[in-house]
Structures are given as C-alpha cells and as structure tokens.
Amino acid sequence: MNPPEEAGQRAQATEEQMTDDERFSLLVAVMGTNDLITVRDERIPEGTPMSAGYVPGVPRLGVPALLMSDASLGVTNPGYREGDTATALPAGIALGASFNPALARESGGMVGREARSRGFNVMLAGGVNLARDPRNGRNFEYISEDPLLTAVLVAESISGIQAEGVISTIKHFTLNCNETNRHWLDAVIDPAAHRESDLLAFEIAIERAKPGSVMTAYNKINGEYAGGNSELLQGALKGAWGYPGWVMSDWGATASWEYALGGLDQDCGSQIDVMMWGAEAFAQPLRDAYANGSLPKERLSDMVRRILRSIYAVGVDSWGAPPEVDMARHHEIALETAREGIVLLKNDGILPLASDTTARIAVVGGHAQVGVPAGTGSSAVVPPGGYAEVIRVGGPSFMGAMRNLYLLPSAPLDELRKLLPDAEIEFDPGMNPAEAALLARRSDVVIAFGIRVEGEGFDSADLSLPWGQDAVIEAVAAANPNTIVVLETGNPVAMPWRDNVKAVIEAWYPGQAGGQAIAEILTGAINPSGRLPVTFPAGLAQTPRPDLPCLAEPWGTPVTIEYTEGAEVGYRWFAQQGEQPLYAFGHGLSYTTFDYSDFLVQGGDTVTVTFAVTNTGGRRGADVPQVYLTGAPDGARMRLLGFERVDLEPGESTQVTVTADPRLLARFDSQAGQAGQAGQAGQAGQWRVTAGTYRVALGSAADSLRLSGETTLEGVLFGP
Ligand code: BGC
C-alpha cells in the first residue's frame, strides 16, 4: 500500500485534469459476455479478458482500466473465458472455522496472485455478512456469525489480495443476510444494534485492511436501498469512519442516479440495471442530473477521486511484471484451509480409523466417488482440470439457471482408498435407504456423506438434507452401529440421526483438495482443529425467525425481514434466550486434549486477559481458546472478545494474551456525540463503556466456559 496522503493528492491532481466524459466513464462498470450477457458491450475493447466488470481507463493520464473479477474463493469464470481455471478454495465458512488469520492472509495472497496474473486488478472479494439465519444461501461465502472473527479473518484475506497490487472490495454493505427476493428485501434493524453487529464487522475489517472499495448490498436497510442509503454510506461509512475509498453497487442494484447523492460512487453490472429497472442509472440519467445541476460538480469530482485514490493507494497503476504463480503451492493452500476448517462435531471413540485397518468399510452417498460439492453462484471457481461434474439443479426465477451441484475433483472415496490401503472399501450411491442398508449391514464401518446445494439467490426452506439423505443415514445407522457421518454443507443442518451414529464431521464445501482433507481427518493423518464459526441450532424454533417471512413468495415480491435479534446474533442470541443448541459456536473436537490455567483478567482502558493452554493428550494438535464477555454493568450479554489458534506438541504449554477491542465491551449509544464528521449527513452516536464490573470467561466453545474472572472499568464515551 502506498502512503494515503500521497494517493489522495495524486487522485485530486489527476481528477482536475479530466474531461467530464472521462469522469463519467469511470463511474460505470459493464459486464463481460457470458451465458447471461451474450453480446459484447461496445465499451469493452476487443481482446480484453471478459469478467464480471470492466471500467475503461484514461490512458493519457496513466489511469488503468479496471478489470473486476469475483471473488473470495478464487478467480471465478462463469463462462467468460474459454478454458480458464483457477485454484478453488474451500468455502469462506471453512476459513472461518480455521480461526486462523495467517491462513486467511495466505489464501488472500493466492487469490491476488492468480487475479493479477490474468490482468484482473479488482477482486470482488471480502464477503462479511453475518450468518443471522441458517437458511441463508450465501452463508458459505461469508465467514461467521460473529463480528470480530469475521472482521479479523476477512481483513487478512483482503490484505493478502491488496499486497499483490490488486484492489479488494468488502461486501455486501450491509445486511444481505437472506437471499430470497434480495432485490426487494427490506432488512429492518435497530440502528444501534446494527453498529454492534454487522456494521462492526465492516468497521473493524475496513480499519485493518483498508479495502479499496466497498460493495453495497441488493436489499434495503430500514426502508432505503443499500446503494443509496445515505445514513449508512454518508453517515457511518464515509462520515463516522472516514472511509476514503469508493463505494460500488452490487451487479444491477442501481435503480436511480440519485444513489450518487446517497453515497454511491460507481454503478456496476450496469447492463443488469436495464433488465431490473429499465435503464442504466449512471449512464445518461446521471449525466442529465449533472447537466441540470441536480448532481453537484463537487460530488462528481469526489466520486472520481475516490476511485483514483484506491488505484494509487493499492498501486494498480504501477504494476511490474506479473507475479510467479505456483499452482502446486496454491493447491497446498486450498488443502491446508480444508484441513484446518473441518470440524469434528462428535466422536464416540470411533475416529481416527487406523491406517492399517483391514475393516470392510462402506462409503455411502454424497457423490463421494466423484468429488466434493461447492456452493453455487458468483463465487463458484472452476478448478484446474475443470469440475469433476456439474449437475444442473435449477429452480424458480432466473436465478434457477445459476443453481448447479458443482463437484470438484478430489473424490473422498479415492482418497480414503489411498490412506486405508488394507481396508475393503465399497461404495453405495445412497439413492435408496434399503439398498444402502444392505451394504451397511455387511460392513464393519459406514462412512455416510450428507451434502446440500446452497448458493446465491436461494435460501434453504429448512435445515434438512435434500434428496432423502436423512432417511439413508437413518437406515445405514440402524443397520450398522459404527456409522460416521461426513457433512458437506454451507450451513448448519438438522441431524435427526445424531444419537444413532458414532461420529459426525462438518467438512463444509472443502474446495479442490477437500476429498484428501476429509480422508486425512478420518484416518488421523491430520488432527482435526476446526471450530464452529456458526451455532448449530437444534431446530429453527430456537432461532430468531422460525418462519422466514419471504420464503413462500414468488421472485419479485416486496418483503420485510425484521432482524429483531438486533446485535444478539448466533451464540449471543442463544445466551440471551438461555437455549442449548445442537452444537455451540466455537465447538470442535480434537484427537488430543487441552487444559486451560493461570487465567488472569485485568482492567484499565479495556479488558486484558492472560492464560496458559497445555496439550494434555498424546498427540500434536491445534486448539482455539476463546475469551467471552459474559456480564457487564449495563446488562447481561455475550460477546467474543478474542481468540487464538495455538498449535502444541503433547505436554507443551503456551501463554496467551487477549486484549479486547473496547467496542466489544461497549454499547453503541445512538444519541451520544455529534453528527458525523466532515459535514456528512446523519450518524450521530458514540460507544459507551459503562463504569463497573465486567465478567469475562475463557472457553473451548460458547457453551463450554471453563475459567472466569472479573475486573472493573472506568466509564468512557468514545467514537464515533
Ligand atoms: C453478487 C456479488 C458479485 C457480483 C458480480 C452479484 O450477483 O451478489 O457478490 O460480486 O454479482 O459477479
């Protein structure tokens, strides 16, 4: 990153030399041709690699064209470029489960290098929407239900991308927490609670990583579309937080040029505007508004300068030779992320399977003979060599065309055969419970796979596994008590068969090396270390919205979702309600054991805790001790204050210190303080730490708190 002042000054100097036509040309990103957009937009010069977005440069001023591509899980190619494949990382939620910032940084670097080697200088990465609803189709793309964990990991991933000279976005600002009818969805939330949850994730990640651009959401927030929401864009983002980069729309989300007055700087996927709203909002309508004085010259200049500033800050205008891309190394990063993201939920002593076992093992279902599933939608990456298989799934509305079961190579069945050479392994496709039970009955051990297709444009109707897989698992578990279930899902699922199986593993969408990682965990070649980044509820009745209001409505129906849980998302909600989930946030087993001791809580400006972690078991393993706020003078609440992933040899101990971000101890007081800085609209409010006693606990999961202590803090008001 280049010095911020210099980038700002250069942006101003360049913008001052531009013609109005040049200025306007920077404000629209057009999509390349693919299966949806079949005719090349004439604004894209011939020979340009097709991708999600193209913005012409201004060669006479040395301003490069912007070539935008999705996204966080690798460089995507939904039909844009013949034969172009890239490293397919595991789902974002798997990265979340690693609780490993260093790994996030590495995978960001990988994405940045692969983007840059193709000439893409803007990655539409950095998905941070909190998992508020286990039905949300895109939770797999994001990180977690917790603002701190999400912000810490996404910031590293963004920094990894930008360190390669590629701008990263952070998205979708904000509350795109359900997919159903996302274009007509009004996400209603208490503004202070919003600051303590989704907005806090954005705030911390933006501070840490300085992403060049913020992508707005499709939905409305409290009645105003995200793209034109001046309270959030001018008030919080650019005002209170002083964000200097540019705000881009989601693809086809700009209904009106007036969003520019609300804080939007660039309209992206503008051809989709025409399909959705009848016209490209930032093409002629914005020029007309400028001509008749409705769009002030200062605002036009500001829009352009923000884009230029990020180009200069990240160094997109001064690329040298393309970076070395070591695809073997990148495969290792995908493999390591899968290994660290897999969560061992239950183990009644059956795992790990001995590598020299001669047992008869039945592998059932999940297309495990072909590959591992990936999430669908704009984040889907075609892996080297192509998909192992694509099964068209479809569905109502035009989003149905995007909905496929993508199977990535690295078939769990083949990988298990490699790691268990003496076992007798047979496969059953899991089509029919009775048929699967036949193989289960004559086997010593059953490994049953449960998969789901989740993705953009769709929320799941419930928590079940599709295609009758729950019945298949029930049947094999009834036929054989030594049943192990491997889930490959993007969200928590119900487990009606849980008490009848010996072990359960959540492997998420584990990416192009996923089959190998699953086999390594099952056989103990790798000690599981993933921890749940989302709460697994026992059922939807435990969640804030047992019925999702819009689920039954056809595409295009205006809907309102009241996020009445406010800031009490996930484990926070379960703590407030006193409910016991199926598996708590932070839960995850290991093949070794860990002990916590010497827990010390100190006050001062914030809470600092120190403690020791010891590996008390017989093999090397990684643990993720978690520090939670459990009590405060201004009301009971639970907040993850910090965590640390530690890797320990048997008998080894390490000392950990966690210092809480004071915003996690505070409440946001919407009435306190002055209006946002720089004369921007709205967004009063400050963070208030109330004087008194704060209770803090150390746990291995949100429902497994082992040591606790308290300290007093003086009252303080800070922010905005
Ligand atoms: C998605 C974005 C994505 C964009 C460009 C939209 O449908 O919501 O996350 O970056 O498409 O492909």
Side-chain angles (χ1 to χ4, degrees):
M1 298 282 284
N2 293 317
E5 307 75 39
E6 195 184 299
Q9 284 159 9
R10 283 185 65 199
Q12 179 174 345
T14 306
E15 187 274 331
E16 280 169 356
Q17 297 172 61
M18 284 183 164
T19 65
D20 281 343
D21 272 346
E22 287 166 343
R23 291 189 176 96
F24 279 107
S25 74
L26 283 188
L27 306 183
V28 177
V30 285
M31 268 177 99
T33 50
N34 67 0
D35 301 344
L36 181 69
I37 311 282
T38 49
V39 180
R40 184 170 60 85
D41 192 290
E42 57 192 24
R43 287 166 285 190
I44 306 179
E46 248 174 291
T48 310
M50 290 292 156
S51 67
Y54 174 82
V55 180
V58 186
R60 74 178 184 93
L61 297 174
V63 178
L66 296 179
L67 274 79
M68 303 172 168
S69 168
D70 288 298
S72 332
L73 313 183
V75 178
T76 66
N77 181 15
Y80 287 121
R81 303 175 303 282
E82 187 69 37
D84 186 19
T85 63
T87 305
L89 286 167
I93 200 168
L95 180 64
S98 78
F99 279 70
N100 188 345
L103 190 59
R105 177 83 183 206
E106 266 199 278
S107 61
M110 181 225 97
V111 171
R113 283 188 294 281
E114 291 194 17
R116 183 162 164 183
S117 69
R118 290 165 171 77
F120 297 130
N121 52 20
V122 180
M123 283 306 280
L124 309 170
V128 298
N129 299 89
L130 298 186
R132 287 179 174 268
D133 189 321
R135 287 160 294 203
N136 179 28
R138 283 184 98 173
N139 281 346
F140 79 91
E141 266 187 67
Y142 309 139
I143 303 285
S144 85
E145 65 190 24
D146 180 70
L148 178 71
L149 174 62
T150 297
V152 168
L153 293 191
V154 108
E156 289 306 313
S157 156
I158 291 169
S159 297
I161 294 173
Q162 296 203 149
E164 298 296 332
V166 173
I167 291 169
S168 176
T169 63
I170 186 167
K171 69 187 187 183
H172 309 85
F173 194 76
T174 150
L175 284 178
N176 189 175
C177 295
N178 283 97
E179 281 297 292
T180 311
N181 274 320
R182 59 184 177 174
H183 293 89
W184 295 274
L185 166 64
D186 187 7
V188 173
I189 195 167
D190 168 65
H194 196 190
R195 287 294 300 260
E196 293 178 24
S197 54
D198 294 65
L199 283 175
L200 186 56
F202 276 101
E203 185 178 2
I204 296 175
I206 288 171
E207 274 167 19
R208 289 180 174 224
K210 305 180 175 40
S213 184
V214 171
M215 187 194 294
T216 55
Y218 279 122
N219 48 283
K220 298 175 184 172
I221 301 104
N222 294 336
E224 278 298 325
Y225 268 114
N229 195 311
S230 81
E231 193 172 325
L232 291 176
L233 298 177
Q234 309 277 47
L237 179 68
K238 295 179 177 177
W241 307 346
Y243 178 66
W246 91 91
V247 177
M248 68 166 75
S249 73
D250 202 340
W251 266 234
T254 311
S256 157
W257 75 265
E258 289 184 354
Y259 286 17
L261 301 179
L264 187 71
D265 300 309
Q266 190 180 55
D267 174 19
C268 294
S270 57
Q271 299 103 312
I272 308 184
D273 288 352
V274 183
M275 299 176 202
M276 293 290 305
W277 319 104
E280 278 191 29
F282 275 22
Q284 203 50 47
L286 192 70
R287 287 175 188 247
D288 293 345
Y290 180 60
N292 70 27
S294 311
L295 176 76
K297 168 76 173 63
E298 301 71 50
R299 178 68 190 116
L300 176 64
S301 293
D302 176 48
M303 294 161 88
V304 172
R305 287 179 195 179
R306 285 172 172 277
I307 297 169
L308 293 172
R309 188 197 172 282
S310 290
I311 290 174
Y312 297 142
V314 180
V316 163
D317 62 318
S318 53
W319 278 6
E324 284 287 313
V325 175
D326 179 346
M327 290 302 276
R329 171 79 196 109
H330 288 184
H331 180 80
E332 288 296 315
I333 294 173
L335 174 60
E336 190 54 28
T337 309
R339 286 171 173 161
E340 294 189 20
I342 292 176
V343 184
L344 176 59
L345 293 173
K346 166 176 176 163
N347 185 15
D348 284 351
I350 194 170
L351 292 176
L353 300 171
S355 56
D356 59 356
T357 181
T358 55
R360 291 164 303 169
I361 299 178
V363 173
V364 176
H367 299 279
Q369 84 286 26
V370 177
V372 292
T376 85
S378 60
S379 69
V381 178
V382 190
Y387 291 117
E389 207 163 302
V390 179
I391 298 169
R392 302 272 172 213
V393 174
S397 94
F398 88 95
M399 294 305 298
M402 290 175 74
R403 200 189 196 192
N404 301 314
L405 170 54
Y406 294 114
L407 290 163
L408 306 180
S410 178
L413 180 63
D414 297 343
E415 300 297 332
L416 277 164
R417 287 196 166 123
K418 282 186 213 160
L419 295 186
L420 299 174
D422 303 326
E424 266 180 58
I425 302 183
E426 283 193 86
F427 178 72
D428 176 276
M431 278 191 312
N432 173 313
E435 187 182 312
L438 296 178
L439 177 61
R441 210 166 287 131
R442 64 167 188 268
S443 303
D444 300 312
V445 174
V446 179
I447 303 173
F449 284 77
I451 65 169
R452 293 220 294 187
V453 174
E454 297 175 46
E456 202 167 330
F458 294 93
D459 291 329
S460 301
D462 60 22
L463 301 180
S464 66
L465 294 173
W467 301 308
Q469 294 174 94
D470 283 320
V472 170
I473 297 173
E474 289 282 11
V476 296
N480 189 322
N482 294 321
T483 295
I484 299 156
V485 176
V486 178
L487 297 168
E488 295 168 287
T489 67
N491 260 308
V493 290
M495 301 179 203
W497 30 258
R498 182 174 72 136
D499 293 343
N500 305 329
V501 303
K502 285 248 164 72
V504 184
I505 281 176
E506 176 56 86
W508 317 108
Y509 298 137
Q512 70 181 40
Q516 180 180 338
I518 289 168
E520 289 172 339
I521 297 274
L522 289 171
T523 57
I526 294 291
N527 192 354
S529 60
R531 301 290 183 266
L532 288 182
V534 291
T535 307
F536 274 47
L540 286 170
Q542 283 187 329
T543 68
R545 272 167 303 288
D547 295 313
L548 190 59
C550 50
L551 212 45
E553 307 299 333
W555 200 71
T557 312
V559 288
T560 299
I561 298 185
E562 311 243 0
Y563 290 102
T564 48
E565 73 277 20
E568 307 310 307
V569 181
Y571 68 87
R572 299 174 169 189
W573 168 261
F574 277 77
Q576 189 197 61
Q577 301 294 309
E579 290 273 350
Q580 180 60 34
L582 193 61
Y583 291 109
F585 175 87
H587 169 74
L589 304 173
S590 165
Y591 298 147
T592 188
T593 49
F594 299 94
D595 190 38
Y596 304 155
S597 58
D598 305 331
F599 186 61
L600 191 70
V601 184
Q602 287 168 284
D605 291 342
T606 181
V607 169
T608 302
V609 303
T610 54
F611 56 91
V613 191
T614 307
N615 181 346
T616 49
R619 56 174 294 175
R620 184 184 157 186
D623 187 30
V624 183
Q626 302 143 40
V627 178
Y628 294 94
L629 174 72
T630 56
D634 50 355
R637 61 184 174 274
M638 194 157 183
R639 301 281 184 265
L640 179 70
L641 297 180
F643 59 87
E644 179 107 359
R645 190 186 157 93
V646 294
D647 205 326
L648 298 171
E649 295 293 342
E652 194 188 353
S653 275
T654 190
Q655 199 64 31
V656 177
T657 301
V658 167
T659 302
D661 185 315
R663 286 168 291 198
L664 294 164
L665 303 164
R667 306 274 9 196
F668 192 76
D669 181 345
S670 301
Q671 306 309 317
Q674 301 298 312
Q677 295 164 350
Q680 305 280 18
Q683 204 66 22
Q686 286 190 290
W687 297 96
R688 181 187 301 281
V689 172
T690 300
T693 303
Y694 287 77
R695 261 200 99 63
V696 177
L698 171 65
S700 55
D703 69 344
S704 181
L705 306 178
R706 300 202 204 156
L707 300 171
S708 65
E710 53 187 46
T711 189
T712 50
L713 294 178
E714 299 201 351
V716 60
L717 201 58
F718 63 96

